[in-house]
């Protein structure tokens, strides 16, 4: 039955004249470079959360030796996370047509019978299962998360984290085995080596292999142009049709820039943010201080021009923030001359990152603020009124909104 021409297990079932070692090798080498960049920028993004500082910054269980690369995230340049995560998300979306074309080019091998001719062949097929399954899982979860349509059970962060390690391990093994042959095939160009990828009885061609590569490249370019504006902003914002956060025009006024979660979504009651009800609780070496918003405004005010950049790949242009420096609040709590870590808690009662930890280097930076206003006006409720954190180069979720408590000390 495996040789029946109507079954995908038969070589004659696959009739496209485009399939062949050269076409597959070109796509494979593009993915080799692209996925390597994706993996590195993914590790960088994970490190940006300072996940070994406090459990609230990373809920990934039992990461063990997979956390070996962690380092203290710097505070400059201010656009660092905006750039690295923008590259990660934009490149991931751009590579989708290349990944699909590569899978299409090798799909006959997935139906080869018998499924395992030897132990070595069985291990190779298993690695392909992890490679294909892991690749589809990583790209699918990543795209859905960017589009705010994540439907997988369980948190995106640990699933994407462990999925990345499984996929990349299979990817490295596959690259070691196949990359040398792929390079030789591409260099030969005109000499197409015999392979089970080529159809034994191909249909007449309607497009050349180079034409098919141009089609794949055009699809990638289209996705790039409709995504990259989420990170670059400026005139490219108008082409960011895939941007889920406000599109090219997120609103007017000084507070008219992208947000992740509204006050309504976070369950913030306007009554608890009012002048009479809200107090910032600052705790440290010398005890606890409670400050109203009016008292915070009487403290020395400082300004910072900083963007907000999110793990989902979107970012704002630089906004002009004004408020009290975090290191000045640390001094009120008894840390004059030395700056400790800080544990930040929000009025938000449910959901991830309602609490966050910042390292001492982030607290010490003069641009790190408990912001009270932005672009010359008070924060709106959706942007964190009565007070929010803004820190240079930090992921957006660490810029906690609706701040209720700051606890300074070694974490």
């Amino acid at each position: 039955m495996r040789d029946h021409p109507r079954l995908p297990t038969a070589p004659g079932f696959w009739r496209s004249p485009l399939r062949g070692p050269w076409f597959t090798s070109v796509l494979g080498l593009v993915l080799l470079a692209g996925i390597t960049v994706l993996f590195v920028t993914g590790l960088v993004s994970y490190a940006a959360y300072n996940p070994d500082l406090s459990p609230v910054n990373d809920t990934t269980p039992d990461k063990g030796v997979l956390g070996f690369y962690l380092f203290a995230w710097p505070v400059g340049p201010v656009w660092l996370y905006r750039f690295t995560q923008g590259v990660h998300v934009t490149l991931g979306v751009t590579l989708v047509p290349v990944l699909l074309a590569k899978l299409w080019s090798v799909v006959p091998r997935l139906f080869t019978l018998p499924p395992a001719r030897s132990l070595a062949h069985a291990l190779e097929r298993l690695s392909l299962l992890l490679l294909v399954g892991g690749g589809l899982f990583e790209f699918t979860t990543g795209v859905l998360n960017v589009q705010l349509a994540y439907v997988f059970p369980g948190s995106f962060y640990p699933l994407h984290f462990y999925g990345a390690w499984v996929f990349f391990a299979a990817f490295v093994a596959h690259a070691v085995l196949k990359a040398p042959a792929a390079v030789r095939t591409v260099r030969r160009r005109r000499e197409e080596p015999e392979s089970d990828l080529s159809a034994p009885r191909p249909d007449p061609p309607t497009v050349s292999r180079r034409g098919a590569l141009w089609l794949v490249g055009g699809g990638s370019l289209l996705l790039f142009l409709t995504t990259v504006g989420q990170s670059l902003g400026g005139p490219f914002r108008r082409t960011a049709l895939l941007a889920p956060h406000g599109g090219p025009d997120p609103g007017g006024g000084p507070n008219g820039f992208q947000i992740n979660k509204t006050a309504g979504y976070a369950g913030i009651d306007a009554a608890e943010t009012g002048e009479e009800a809200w107090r910032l609780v600052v705790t440290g070496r010398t005890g606890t201080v409670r400050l109203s918003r009016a008292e915070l405004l009487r403290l020395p005010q400082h300004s910072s021009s900083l963007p907000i950049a999110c793990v989902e790949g979107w970012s704002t242009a630089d906004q002009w923030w004004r408020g009290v420096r975090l290191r000045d609040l640390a001094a009120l709590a008894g840390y004059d001359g030395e700056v400790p870590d800080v544990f930040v808690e929000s009025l938000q009662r449910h959901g991830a990152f309602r609490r966050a930890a910042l390292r001492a280097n982030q607290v010490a930076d003069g641009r790190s603020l408990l912001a009270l206003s932005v672009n010359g006006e008070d924060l709106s409720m959706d942007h964190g009124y009565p007070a929010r954190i803004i820190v240079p180069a930090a992921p957006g979720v660490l810029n906690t909104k609706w701040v209720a408590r700051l606890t300074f000390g070694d974490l």
Side-chain angles (χ1 to χ4, degrees):
M1 291 294 291
R2 73 178 184 180
D3 294 325
H4 194 286
R6 293 187 178 181
L7 294 179
T9 54
F13 179 86
W14 308 100
R15 304 293 297 275
S16 173
L18 297 180
R19 289 191 179 93
W22 185 84
F23 186 73
T24 298
S25 296
V26 171
L27 296 172
L29 292 176
V30 173
L31 288 174
L32 176 62
I35 289 175
T36 300
V37 174
L38 284 181
F39 187 72
V40 172
T41 52
L43 294 183
V44 168
S45 175
Y46 186 67
Y49 283 75
N50 285 320
D52 59 340
L53 178 61
S54 170
V56 301
N57 283 16
D58 176 28
T59 58
T60 306
D62 303 321
K63 61 186 179 184
V65 296
L66 299 183
F68 73 92
Y69 52 84
L70 298 178
F71 54 92
W73 186 249
V75 290
V78 297
W79 44 262
L80 179 61
Y81 188 75
R82 183 184 188 187
F83 173 75
T84 59
Q85 190 61 14
V87 169
H88 183 76
V89 171
T90 303
L91 180 60
V93 173
T94 301
L95 285 177
V96 167
V98 184
L99 175 69
L100 295 179
K102 175 66 160 60
L103 294 177
W104 174 86
S105 74
V106 298
V107 70
R109 285 182 175 170
L110 301 181
F111 293 91
T112 301
L113 294 177
R117 296 189 296 268
S118 64
L119 178 59
H121 187 242
L123 292 175
E124 180 183 355
R125 297 300 293 273
L126 177 61
S127 70
L128 287 177
L129 176 64
L130 295 176
L131 180 69
V132 174
L136 290 175
F137 177 79
E138 285 299 289
F139 276 82
T140 300
T141 55
V143 170
L144 289 177
N145 187 61
V146 167
Q147 293 302 317
L148 308 182
Y150 182 74
V151 295
F152 283 75
S155 171
F156 168 77
Y157 299 97
L159 289 180
H160 203 68
F161 175 83
Y162 285 117
W165 280 106
V166 171
F167 167 61
F168 196 71
F171 177 77
V172 169
H174 186 74
V176 169
L177 293 173
K178 301 296 185 180
V183 172
R184 290 194 299 269
T185 299
V186 170
R187 284 177 173 175
R188 278 197 289 256
R189 296 183 182 180
R190 297 180 182 178
E191 299 178 15
E192 183 83 1
E194 293 186 6
S195 170
D196 57 350
L197 293 175
S198 303
R201 295 186 300 277
D203 288 332
T206 57
V207 64
S208 68
R209 286 172 175 162
R210 292 184 184 276
L213 288 177
W214 277 109
L215 180 63
V216 173
S220 291
L221 178 61
L222 178 63
L223 290 177
F224 174 82
L225 293 176
T226 53
T227 304
V228 70
Q230 296 187 70
S231 299
L232 288 184
F236 291 98
R237 183 76 71 182
R238 297 186 178 278
T239 68
L241 303 179
L242 298 182
H245 292 274
D249 184 15
N255 279 242
F257 55 93
Q258 284 79 2
I259 60 170
N260 197 325
K261 292 181 175 62
T262 65
Y265 178 91
I268 303 300
D269 187 347
E272 62 185 334
T273 63
E275 187 67 33
E276 296 300 320
W278 182 82
R279 295 292 184 273
L280 174 69
V281 180
V282 181
T283 301
R285 177 184 291 162
T286 56
T288 297
V289 178
R290 296 171 61 87
L291 300 167
S292 68
R293 197 169 190 277
E295 289 171 325
L296 285 169
L297 286 168
R298 286 195 290 270
L299 294 175
Q301 302 291 297
H302 297 268
S303 298
S304 297
S305 180
L306 300 173
I308 295 176
C310 183
V311 68
E312 291 151 2
W314 64 269
S315 64
T316 74
D318 288 357
Q319 310 298 326
W320 192 253
W321 307 90
R322 189 162 178 80
V324 183
R325 293 186 301 193
L326 292 183
R327 70 189 189 192
D328 292 342
L329 292 171
L332 284 178
Y335 293 94
D336 194 7
E338 61 175 304
V339 180
D341 308 324
V342 65
F343 188 72
V344 185
E345 297 175 79
S346 172
L347 290 174
Q348 182 179 344
R349 296 177 180 83
H350 305 286
F353 294 102
R354 65 188 183 276
R355 299 175 296 169
L358 299 174
R359 285 195 187 276
N361 67 315
Q362 294 172 311
V363 177
D365 192 278
R367 297 165 295 182
S368 298
L369 302 176
L370 179 73
L372 305 173
S373 63
V374 62
N375 299 328
E377 288 194 4
D378 288 345
L379 295 169
S380 68
M381 283 288 291
D382 287 341
H383 279 296
Y385 181 88
R388 69 169 297 161
I389 298 293
I390 188 73
V391 174
V397 291
L398 297 186
N399 294 310
T400 308
K401 297 191 286 188
W402 314 294
V403 175
R405 178 184 291 269
L406 300 174
T407 303
F408 292 94
D410 293 334
L411 299 180

